[in-house]
Amino acid sequence: MEQLIRVRGEFDAHHQITGTEPDRPRCARNHGHHWVVEVEKVGREDGLEEDVFAMLDVAADRSLNEMYPKLNPTPEQLAVLFGEGLLLKHPSLVMVSVSDGRLTGIVRYTPR
């Protein structure tokens, strides 16, 4: 029987989104969030927790725009970025979810 491993981590960081809707002016300004990231994989843990926390530690208390200058750092883009980065070492990755701290702001990336 295979095990489902879930790791949850949190970090604070700020970002600025380009191309936002006119009714969301805050998103176009530099602002911060308390980000929540959950990662799931099938099989053994094999360092997943350590890798997730190392990835989040790099992003903590930083500007996501400066860290990822070619990325418009939305939750959707971060989920893909984190997921693809973790897939290299954890090919049995099932899902990465990223929330910007709002209950309705949860997005999921599922590798194919």
Side-chain angles (χ1 to χ4, degrees):
M1 181 173 150
E2 291 185 308
Q3 230 179 341
L4 181 66
I5 308 296
R6 178 178 293 144
V7 176
R8 177 187 164 107
E10 302 178 16
F11 69 103
D12 294 311
H14 58 97
H15 70 155
Q16 183 174 359
I17 304 300
T18 59
T20 60
E21 298 86 18
D23 63 334
R24 299 186 69 185
R26 176 179 178 218
C27 295
R29 296 189 311 264
N30 191 19
H31 63 284
H33 292 286
H34 181 78
W35 300 87
V36 178
V37 177
E38 287 190 359
V39 177
E40 292 180 354
K41 77 179 253 187
V42 175
R44 297 189 341 228
E45 196 274 334
D46 285 335
L48 179 65
E49 183 173 342
E50 180 180 301
D51 293 338
V52 169
F53 287 121
M55 177 182 68
L56 300 183
D57 283 345
V58 169
D61 301 317
R62 308 245 338 249
S63 165
L64 298 176
N65 297 84
E66 290 175 9
M67 285 191 61
Y68 311 111
K70 295 181 180 181
L71 185 74
N72 195 17
T74 62
E76 295 84 357
Q77 294 294 318
L78 293 173
V80 171
L81 178 78
F82 294 158
E84 304 230 333
L86 289 167
L87 265 174
L88 298 172
K89 197 169 172 186
H90 303 280
S92 63
L93 190 74
V94 173
M95 183 274 303
V96 176
S97 72
V98 176
S99 167
D100 60 9
R102 297 172 294 153
L103 293 177
T104 59
I106 300 170
V107 298
R108 288 182 172 80
Y109 165 72
T110 306
R112 304 232 180 247

